[in-house]
Amino acid sequence: MFNYRAQRSASASCYHISMVHATPVLVSDQSLESDHLESERVKLLNSIYKLSEDASQPEKQEEIKSLRSDYNQIISRQVMVNRGPWTDPLSILPLEIWVHIIEEILDNRWGSSYRVIANMVLVGQKWKEAIVNTPQFWTVITIDPNFQESDLLERVAASLHLSKDHPLTLLLDFPIDRASYDACQTLISPHSSRIRRIHFRNPSKPIKGSKHLDPSVYQVLSDFLPLPNLQEIQFGNFCLASEEQWDIVELMPQLKFVEGDGMPLSVLRRISLVHLESLKTYGSVDKLFTVIANLPQIKELEMAESSYTNWAVDDSCEVPAGDSVTPEQPLSLETMTWHRYNGSRLKDLIHWSPCLKSMTLLVSWKFLVSVLEEMANLPFLSYLAVYVQRKASEDKFSPAAVTQSPSLRELHFEVGYFGSDNDSKERRELNKNLSNFVDAWLPTFARLEKAFICLGNEWPLPLALLPNLRRVKVLSLTLSTLNILGEFPKLPFDALEDLKLHIPASCYVDFLSFLQCPNLLLLTVQTSTSPYSEKVSIHLDPKQFPRLSGLHWNTKQLAWTISSHRMLKLIVFGRGGSQAASNFCTHLILRPLDFPSLEQVEFYEFPEWDLITLMLERRNFLLEPSISRIRTVVLPTTLGFILKTPLTSLLGGQFSNRLSNHDLSIAGIAEVYFDKSLSGCHWCCLSMQACSSYTYPAYYAPSMQAHWSNHQAEPITVTPDPPLADSTLNWLEQRQERYSQWKQNADAATTWTRGSVCESHQLSSLFVFSSFSTANPSTYRSVAVETLKPVFD
């Protein structure tokens, strides 16, 4: 949606003059109309509330219905006034900016860009001309096993023609329908010089039919040869079958990036890829140094220990016996990933890479020492990820030669363990290594802006670490134990903006009490405790976190004692947060004036539809204009029309006809879900969608049927403000009865179960619902993050 009011010239509007303290104030017609509409909205809402106090008479119900209709018209008018007149963006924006906007809308990951852009052609003649004459809209060509439409070849031909001479990207989903592939390949091959990128991917949807005889990756690349301008290959989960097949890259002289599969070093010794910037391979540092002269532009390097291919141990790059090969000049590496426990010459590789900006290392304590000895020689290093996993025997961290990293700003540090949990000597040695590392690197820790610490196997966090992280803006702590809190002083994190906690539930109360985070914007709460452990109640003090704008709740083991946070705009209930979500919705029904800035609520698990509906009806129809409406709800599923229509209306601040509280509740859903004679998969039943999936005998435990079985409704202890209708209050007080009834039904349904999901659902997706649209956006998170940026500064 675009707001073009700011672009209207002052001469195009009439203004009235009023006097405030003898100062002339310009008030536009638009502002006066907005004030008038708000006054009318409040009057209508007051009338609706008064009539609703005793709506038992039919004539009052009709009057309420009429007033609600008038109210909805006022809201629609407010939207129009505040938004301004609809204007075609193509008429007022420079073409270059309009093109960038359309490119953001297109989702090329699953080849949907053609369908989307073809629909946009139907907007009007002006759009049709602009789209048809913009070649970059047509440069992505997808060959998908589900593309069985009769016009597939016409689509490919149209893209090749309308893209003109622009570079092409091929998206190939495996397995490929052989007939479709052969026909498309014939059309595309004459344009092989325009191909810049080839991506091999798993299919975006379940494959229908069994007529798939897919060519190999090698055959596909061979079919499109020559590829004189190819710059990027993404193999995804596929690979070339042998070392000899890699010789095909000799016919791709402009190749810069190879992602997914690893390239044998022996191939690089035979072939000079002077433009290659990114390399994944397997082998030793010595062998890498023998071919590095053929890679003058290399900037990204990933060295792994092994591969599933038969050329993983690359012995064909022979190194003279007794000699250590070194490069003739410093390398141009900027990013290095080392996935090997051993590596006697890792230090040498780092020494010859003075331009490194980012390193990811999987090493032992012993080799970590050699890495840290080179830190002072890396003046541009800003990112370091270290994963230490090694048995304690003869693996010691000696801090004597450790140097600091003055440029490092982001550190990811994780410690694993391969030893015996019962070997106390090994554990003491590992704890000592950890303490020595922290003590030796305290000056570097003090300069960090982002720190991600993960310690498993009940290792204690070194006491000296946290007080030295005073400059961090982002801090993530994943700890299996935290047993030294009694010795902690207050922790003043004045710069901290984003805090992610994954610690035992029993430690939360103490840990939060030590924090002083006046500028914290985003808090993520997660527990590293058994799901069967006793639940712990925590309180997030608004005075302790005065600027908290976003909260992510991802645990079952914590109970949130809710109090209002005035700046909170976004709350996310992640995996394990289903009960907390129900309690939060209940709280907002009782006290809708709390969290006055809240605009977006996200649910990663199925919520209770009656609670969401009641929450929106209470929150989005308030007399106080200073309380923000909840405008966006994110759900883990698509919705049936019977749910989607009232939900989008309520998010837009308009009244809507809806099902009864009972029909929306888990009690109403249970009447359908546990009726074996009714069809429907698990997801469709919970989201009230039509579904033809059958029920099945329960050959395995139908655990998904116990979705709300373990929920416990908290007693209502707060006074509703504003006052709440007795019927709604009674409905909330009966929550536990509905949970108990669901559990009884689930316990009784042990001989059959429903299928998990049908083709109507896209799993691992989040669906955004607002008053204007329903979508499955790939980039909605960027919108949510924007809401966290405060406007104080």
Side-chain angles (χ1 to χ4, degrees), residues 517-550:
C517 305
N519 295 303
L520 188 68
L521 300 178
L522 179 61
L523 174 63
T524 301
V525 174
Q526 195 169 348
T527 54
S528 56
T529 314
S530 166
Y532 305 104
S533 60
E534 185 176 353
K535 185 170 291 189
V536 177
S537 296
I538 65 169
H539 175 236
L540 304 177
D541 188 352
K543 296 180 180 179
Q544 191 177 5
F545 310 111
R547 299 182 69 182
L548 188 66
S549 301

Side-chain angles (χ1 to χ4, degrees), residues 513-782:
S513 67
F514 293 123
L515 294 178
Q516 293 178 342
C517 305
N519 295 303
L520 188 68
L521 300 178
L522 179 61
L523 174 63
T524 301
V525 174
Q526 195 169 348
T527 54
S528 56
T529 314
S530 166
Y532 305 104
S533 60
E534 185 176 353
K535 185 170 291 189
V536 177
S537 296
I538 65 169
H539 175 236
L540 304 177
D541 188 352
K543 296 180 180 179
Q544 191 177 5
F545 310 111
R547 299 182 69 182
L548 188 66
S549 301
L551 175 63
H552 289 222
W553 193 276
N554 305 321
T555 178
K556 297 179 180 179
Q557 283 69 55
L558 295 177
W560 181 16
T561 304
I562 300 176
S563 57
S564 179
H565 288 258
R566 295 195 59 81
M567 306 309 301
L568 194 72
K569 296 184 178 182
L570 167 70
I571 183 166
V572 179
F573 296 101
R575 305 300 177 193
S578 177
Q579 183 164 340
S582 296
N583 293 337
F584 178 80
C585 291
T586 301
H587 179 90
L588 220 56
I589 295 169
L590 295 166
R591 300 184 62 85
L593 301 178
D594 287 356
F595 304 93
S597 301
L598 186 66
E599 297 179 352
Q600 180 166 323
V601 185
E602 302 186 12
F603 304 89
Y604 280 54
E605 296 179 341
F606 275 103
E608 297 181 55
W609 304 120
D610 57 324
L611 297 182
I612 285 186
T613 302
L614 289 169
M615 175 187 72
L616 293 176
E617 288 176 342
R618 282 277 278 176
R619 175 56 176 253
N620 287 359
F621 300 92
L622 293 173
L623 299 174
E624 294 80 356
S626 60
I627 306 298
S628 173
R629 284 206 316 259
I630 296 177
R631 305 174 185 275
T632 305
V633 170
V634 179
L635 299 170
T637 177
T638 55
L639 292 181
F641 182 81
I642 202 168
L643 274 178
K644 182 170 63 177
T645 301
L647 178 65
T648 53
S649 295
L650 293 173
L651 289 169
Q654 295 183 324
F655 290 102
S656 176
N657 295 324
R658 65 171 178 87
L659 297 176
S660 67
N661 289 339
H662 173 81
D663 291 337
L664 288 171
S665 71
I666 60 175
I669 292 176
E671 294 175 359
V672 174
Y673 191 100
F674 293 105
D675 187 339
K676 188 178 179 181
S677 65
L678 298 177
S679 63
C681 69
H682 173 79
W683 283 68
C684 283
C685 285
L686 296 189
S687 57
M688 295 189 176
Q689 298 189 72
C691 179
S692 58
S693 298
Y694 297 102
T695 57
Y696 304 95
Y699 297 115
Y700 54 91
S703 57
M704 60 186 170
Q705 297 183 173
H707 188 74
W708 288 287
S709 296
N710 297 320
H711 279 205
Q712 294 291 326
E714 296 182 355
I716 295 176
T717 58
V718 299
T719 303
D721 180 26
L724 186 63
D726 291 340
S727 59
T728 304
L729 186 58
N730 292 335
W731 178 257
L732 296 179
E733 290 174 340
Q734 296 168 6
R735 283 175 59 204
Q736 188 57 51
E737 297 178 15
R738 295 192 286 274
Y739 294 148
S740 300
Q741 184 61 46
W742 183 278
K743 186 177 187 307
Q744 291 177 11
N745 289 328
D747 291 343
T750 57
T751 60
W752 63 277
T753 187
R754 294 189 177 275
S756 175
V757 63
C758 66
E759 291 185 5
S760 300
H761 282 90
Q762 300 178 35
L763 296 181
S764 302
S765 298
L766 290 175
F767 296 82
V768 178
F769 294 83
S770 71
S771 58
F772 298 103
S773 64
T774 303
N776 173 22
S778 59
T779 57
Y780 91 93
R781 176 61 56 186
S782 62

Side-chain angles (χ1 to χ4, degrees), residues 2-241:
F2 297 88
N3 189 334
Y4 302 109
R5 289 180 294 145
Q7 300 188 17
R8 298 168 65 190
S9 64
S11 60
S13 300
C14 294
Y15 288 86
H16 301 274
I17 299 180
S18 63
M19 300 297 291
V20 179
H21 298 295
T23 303
V25 179
L26 293 179
V27 182
S28 68
D29 284 342
Q30 189 177 34
S31 177
L32 290 175
E33 184 177 5
S34 180
D35 293 343
H36 172 72
L37 289 172
E38 178 60 21
S39 175
E40 290 296 314
R41 183 192 76 84
V42 172
K43 288 179 182 179
L44 279 172
L45 198 57
N46 266 320
S47 300
I48 293 171
Y49 283 155
K50 288 179 181 178
L51 286 173
S52 299
E53 293 175 359
D54 182 18
S56 56
Q57 301 177 12
E59 59 271 15
K60 285 191 175 183
Q61 293 180 1
E62 288 298 319
E63 188 175 356
I64 290 174
K65 183 177 180 181
S66 176
L67 290 175
R68 286 185 171 183
S69 177
D70 293 342
Y71 183 92
N72 287 349
Q73 292 180 20
I74 292 290
I75 293 297
S76 297
R77 182 59 187 158
Q78 281 185 318
V79 171
M80 290 294 295
V81 169
N82 293 330
R83 180 191 61 209
W86 284 111
T87 307
D88 185 354
L90 187 54
S91 354
I92 62 170
L93 293 176
L95 182 62
E96 296 80 4
I97 296 178
W98 178 82
V99 167
H100 283 303
I101 293 173
I102 300 300
E103 286 179 328
E104 284 295 317
I105 296 173
L106 300 179
D107 182 6
N108 290 322
R109 292 178 305 166
W110 300 124
S112 61
S113 62
Y114 189 100
R115 293 186 180 95
V116 174
I117 206 68
N119 287 332
M120 288 183 180
V121 169
L122 303 177
V123 171
Q125 184 64 30
K126 191 172 184 179
W127 277 57
K128 178 180 178 180
E129 293 176 0
I131 290 173
V132 168
N133 294 314
T134 305
Q136 54 262 50
F137 289 159
W138 308 93
T139 57
V140 178
I141 298 176
T142 300
I143 304 178
D144 185 294
N146 290 290
F147 281 9
Q148 300 297 327
E149 295 89 346
S150 58
D151 62 345
L152 172 60
L153 296 181
E154 287 76 7
R155 293 184 180 189
V156 173
S159 294
L160 291 171
H161 174 70
L162 294 175
S163 60
K164 299 183 179 178
D165 294 328
H166 278 58
L168 297 176
T169 296
L170 297 188
L171 307 181
L172 300 107
D173 289 10
F174 272 31
I176 301 175
D177 178 73
R178 187 71 200 205
S180 299
Y181 166 76
D182 287 343
C184 293
Q185 186 266 330
T186 302
L187 285 175
I188 298 171
S189 287
H191 302 268
S192 61
S193 61
R194 294 168 53 199
I195 299 176
R196 297 295 189 275
R197 287 169 292 276
I198 298 179
H199 296 182
F200 297 94
R201 314 173 309 176
N202 292 321
S204 57
K205 307 178 190 176
I207 300 170
K208 298 178 182 179
S210 56
K211 301 183 297 179
H212 304 287
L213 181 61
D214 58 301
S216 66
V217 170
Y218 176 76
Q219 183 175 343
V220 170
L221 294 176
S222 301
D223 288 343
F224 289 107
L225 289 176
L227 293 165
N229 297 306
L230 184 68
Q231 297 179 358
E232 177 181 329
I233 304 176
Q234 290 189 13
F235 285 103
N237 295 326
F238 307 96
C239 64
L240 293 173

Side-chain angles (χ1 to χ4, degrees), residues 333-336 350 353-359 378 380-381:
L333 282 179
E334 295 179 358
T335 301
M336 184 177 72
I350 296 173
S353 306
C355 297
L356 277 174
K357 298 177 181 178
S358 171
M359 278 202 304
L378 301 175
F380 306 107
L381 187 70

